[in-house]
Amino acid sequence: MGKLNVSMLRYLTSEDFRVLTAVNRLDRSPFQVPSGATVIVCGLSVHKLLKELCKHKLLSYERGKHYDGYRLTNQGYDYLALKTLSSRKVIASFGNQIGVGKESNIYVVEDCDGNPLVLKLHRLGRTCFRNLKEKRDYHAHRNKAGWLYLSRISATKEFAYMNALYDRGFPVPKPVDINRHCVIMELVKGDPLSRVSHVNNVEALYDELMDLIVRFANHGVIHGDFNEFNLMLQEDERPVVIDFPQMVSTSHPNAQTFFDRDVTCIKDFFRKRFGYESSLHPTFDDISREDILDVEVSASGFTKRMDKELLAQLGLDESDEELDSEDDTVEDKDEIENLREQVDVTMNLYNEGERKDSTSESIKPEVTSHSGSEE
Ligand code: ADP
Ligand code: MG
């Protein structure tokens, strides 16, 4: 799981890339090719390409009750993002994996000048799509949000917050670029606090971390996972904060609980690791809203709705009811765009005369109801 097969990047052709991109755009429904049909992309039989891509585990073929379909695998999605980032000349080569989290894989990569960078592949809700078997489930699936979508919004959120925080002088890695579920950022030189057994000035570090929690809150946000694994300690004993997908707003109904939990994490860690106890620690009442990051973050394309879906997946949702009540409406621009793309791609993939095939019905009825101008 999660292993990156880099040689694949050199081996696969632009046709492979096109087909994978097409399947990716259909990420909320299984991609189907009617059996026996000859579907041509770039003058090549898609069937053959699809089979090849399955062999390389970039696609998987899944059997359902009513139809079978191709799906992008984790590896296929990785491939698309890495290919995009390398054609943008953001990354030039790959190094070692340095971290495996619950929800991510971390690699060291290099830019074109050989400088190290960190690549974080977000991996969320990996099991959701297995339930996808029929059209009815397709809707349920959409509402629960598929793993591609969740991984992508997790990365989008992380990148947006990292940008906003970095601009305001917070000690976070410098964000470099993002594509799909992949975030590229500065490599922090140092160790996670979890691996640090001695610091020269324990009190100074404690104060700095508590100040950071308050500074975050003064900007309207709570890190939500402010612990020794998400705090890197540099040589000069200055901390750098990482890992942002679970960040919550100070206006979240449970904001105080999240705030207190971050504070308690640091208190407990300092007591256990350094035998340090301070009578001082910040409280939620200490915060004075100076500047709210949320506005900037939502301007970057990360919407409230996406955040709700992500927080629901991470178990930090405000209330399920609210999300459920929105299930049947597609208000989100991104969502509509996604449906449009699905049509375009389907039209491109299917040759004239093959469109009458009814197997693509899981896509078409969705679309006609939202974009009446389609033929
Ligand atoms: P997760 O969400 O899976 O916890 P993190 O962003 O916390 O992912 O990263 C996991 C681990 O990878 C971290 O504990 C740290 O050791 C390493 N890591 C992540 N980002 C960086 C970075 N920018 N520089 C150096 N190490 C990093
Ligand atoms: Mg982490």
PDB file of all heavy atoms in Angstrom, residues 101 104 120 225 227 229-230 242-243, ligand 2:
ATOM      1  N   GLY A 101       1.717   8.178   7.521  1.00  0.00           N
ATOM      2  CA  GLY A 101       0.730   8.519   8.540  1.00  0.00           C
ATOM      3  C   GLY A 101      -0.535   7.740   8.290  1.00  0.00           C
ATOM      4  O   GLY A 101      -0.608   6.925   7.376  1.00  0.00           O
ATOM      5  N   SER A 104      -1.661   9.808   5.177  1.00  0.00           N
ATOM      6  CA  SER A 104      -0.738  10.332   4.167  1.00  0.00           C
ATOM      7  C   SER A 104       0.508   9.469   4.041  1.00  0.00           C
ATOM      8  O   SER A 104       0.820   8.667   4.918  1.00  0.00           O
ATOM      9  CB  SER A 104      -0.304  11.743   4.548  1.00  0.00           C
ATOM     10  OG  SER A 104       0.688  11.687   5.542  1.00  0.00           O
ATOM     11  N   LYS A 120       3.765  15.276  -0.071  1.00  0.00           N
ATOM     12  CA  LYS A 120       2.793  14.624   0.816  1.00  0.00           C
ATOM     13  C   LYS A 120       1.613  14.158  -0.020  1.00  0.00           C
ATOM     14  O   LYS A 120       0.902  14.960  -0.615  1.00  0.00           O
ATOM     15  CB  LYS A 120       2.334  15.593   1.911  1.00  0.00           C
ATOM     16  CG  LYS A 120       1.305  14.978   2.862  1.00  0.00           C
ATOM     17  CD  LYS A 120       1.061  15.842   4.089  1.00  0.00           C
ATOM     18  CE  LYS A 120      -0.050  15.259   4.965  1.00  0.00           C
ATOM     19  NZ  LYS A 120      -0.295  16.043   6.183  1.00  0.00           N
ATOM     20  N   ASP A 225      -4.571  19.112  15.955  1.00  0.00           N
ATOM     21  CA  ASP A 225      -3.753  17.912  16.139  1.00  0.00           C
ATOM     22  C   ASP A 225      -2.337  18.368  16.514  1.00  0.00           C
ATOM     23  O   ASP A 225      -1.345  17.903  15.970  1.00  0.00           O
ATOM     24  CB  ASP A 225      -3.743  17.094  14.845  1.00  0.00           C
ATOM     25  CG  ASP A 225      -3.456  15.615  15.086  1.00  0.00           C
ATOM     26  OD1 ASP A 225      -3.412  15.188  16.259  1.00  0.00           O
ATOM     27  OD2 ASP A 225      -3.271  14.884  14.093  1.00  0.00           O
ATOM     28  N   ASN A 227       0.385  18.106  18.281  1.00  0.00           N
ATOM     29  CA  ASN A 227       1.107  17.171  19.142  1.00  0.00           C
ATOM     30  C   ASN A 227       2.540  16.964  18.659  1.00  0.00           C
ATOM     31  O   ASN A 227       2.946  17.523  17.636  1.00  0.00           O
ATOM     32  CB  ASN A 227       0.345  15.837  19.233  1.00  0.00           C
ATOM     33  CG  ASN A 227       0.213  15.183  17.869  1.00  0.00           C
ATOM     34  OD1 ASN A 227       1.132  15.219  17.052  1.00  0.00           O
ATOM     35  ND2 ASN A 227      -0.948  14.599  17.603  1.00  0.00           N
ATOM     36  N   PHE A 229       4.032  14.801  17.092  1.00  0.00           N
ATOM     37  CA  PHE A 229       4.270  14.233  15.761  1.00  0.00           C
ATOM     38  C   PHE A 229       4.115  15.286  14.665  1.00  0.00           C
ATOM     39  O   PHE A 229       4.605  15.112  13.554  1.00  0.00           O
ATOM     40  CB  PHE A 229       3.319  13.069  15.494  1.00  0.00           C
ATOM     41  CG  PHE A 229       3.437  11.983  16.523  1.00  0.00           C
ATOM     42  CD1 PHE A 229       2.522  11.888  17.569  1.00  0.00           C
ATOM     43  CD2 PHE A 229       4.496  11.082  16.470  1.00  0.00           C
ATOM     44  CE1 PHE A 229       2.649  10.911  18.539  1.00  0.00           C
ATOM     45  CE2 PHE A 229       4.636  10.104  17.436  1.00  0.00           C
ATOM     46  CZ  PHE A 229       3.708  10.014  18.481  1.00  0.00           C
ATOM     47  N   ASN A 230       3.398  16.348  14.993  1.00  0.00           N
ATOM     48  CA  ASN A 230       3.148  17.399  14.003  1.00  0.00           C
ATOM     49  C   ASN A 230       3.927  18.676  14.302  1.00  0.00           C
ATOM     50  O   ASN A 230       3.631  19.733  13.768  1.00  0.00           O
ATOM     51  CB  ASN A 230       1.649  17.687  13.907  1.00  0.00           C
ATOM     52  CG  ASN A 230       0.898  16.493  13.344  1.00  0.00           C
ATOM     53  OD1 ASN A 230       1.437  15.759  12.513  1.00  0.00           O
ATOM     54  ND2 ASN A 230      -0.323  16.293  13.806  1.00  0.00           N
ATOM     55  N   ILE A 242       3.386  21.337  11.266  1.00  0.00           N
ATOM     56  CA  ILE A 242       2.976  20.702  10.007  1.00  0.00           C
ATOM     57  C   ILE A 242       1.592  20.057  10.184  1.00  0.00           C
ATOM     58  O   ILE A 242       1.056  20.045  11.297  1.00  0.00           O
ATOM     59  CB  ILE A 242       3.986  19.608   9.551  1.00  0.00           C
ATOM     60  CG1 ILE A 242       4.144  18.521  10.632  1.00  0.00           C
ATOM     61  CG2 ILE A 242       5.340  20.220   9.227  1.00  0.00           C
ATOM     62  CD1 ILE A 242       4.872  17.283  10.140  1.00  0.00           C
ATOM     63  N   ASP A 243       1.033  19.551   9.077  1.00  0.00           N
ATOM     64  CA  ASP A 243      -0.161  18.705   9.103  1.00  0.00           C
ATOM     65  C   ASP A 243      -1.451  19.493   9.389  1.00  0.00           C
ATOM     66  O   ASP A 243      -1.850  19.638  10.550  1.00  0.00           O
ATOM     67  CB  ASP A 243       0.031  17.595  10.149  1.00  0.00           C
ATOM     68  CG  ASP A 243      -0.849  16.388   9.876  1.00  0.00           C
ATOM     69  OD1 ASP A 243      -1.621  16.440   8.901  1.00  0.00           O
ATOM     70  OD2 ASP A 243      -0.756  15.410  10.641  1.00  0.00           O
TER      71      ASP A 243
HETATM   72 MG    MG B   2       0.796  14.157  11.356  1.00  0.00          MG
END
